[in-house]
Each structure stands twice: as C-alpha cells, then as structure tokens.
Amino acid sequence: MAGESVISEELNSLINVEFGLEAYEIEKGMVRKFVEAIDDPNPRWQAETPPTFPAAIVPKALLNKLFNADIP
C-alpha cells in the first residue's frame, strides 16, 4: 500500500471549501480556558486573544461533514 493516500475522496473534497459566515460571541472566560488548554503563560493573553484561537472555532457545517465522513 505504499504511496496510497489514507485521505478518502470525501475528506479530500472538503479541502479549500468555503462555508458561509458565522458569528461567534467570544467571552473572556472562553479565551482564558483556551489559554489554559494550550498551556501558554504569556501575560499578553490577558489583554488579547492568542493568534491560534480561531482554531478553537470551527464552522458547524465543517464539523458536521467531518464527523459524518467515511474515514478509513
């Protein structure tokens, strides 16, 4: 099986797909929990959101497709 992709065609079809806009209300507590989860003690994150924070917010449509995809 050398050289054969483990990514199914269904998953591959999700690459570079645009999803509609979604609005999220971000609370300080959510950012604080995220900072604790990534174990980053930088005091800068007391005043602003870490640049990796958007990874915590995934469009619901994408999550639905990922969790229902046929994954080998």
Side-chain angles (χ1 to χ4, degrees):
M1 284 223 229
E4 186 177 330
S5 177
V6 296
I7 299 176
S8 68
E9 286 185 36
E10 185 177 6
L11 286 177
N12 200 34
S13 72
L14 297 176
I15 296 173
N16 293 325
V17 173
E18 290 188 26
F19 292 93
L21 296 176
E22 291 186 27
Y24 295 92
E25 184 173 325
I26 308 300
E27 299 174 345
K28 286 185 180 183
M30 186 177 182
V31 175
R32 181 180 41 79
K33 287 180 182 180
F34 179 79
V35 171
E36 288 174 3
I38 63 172
D39 196 26
D40 187 340
N42 189 332
R44 179 178 185 181
W45 309 140
Q46 300 299 316
E48 61 186 87
T49 306
T52 54
F53 183 74
I57 304 172
V58 178
K60 292 174 187 165
L62 177 58
L63 281 178
N64 186 37
K65 287 186 180 221
L66 287 174
F67 285 119
N68 292 306
D70 182 28
I71 300 173

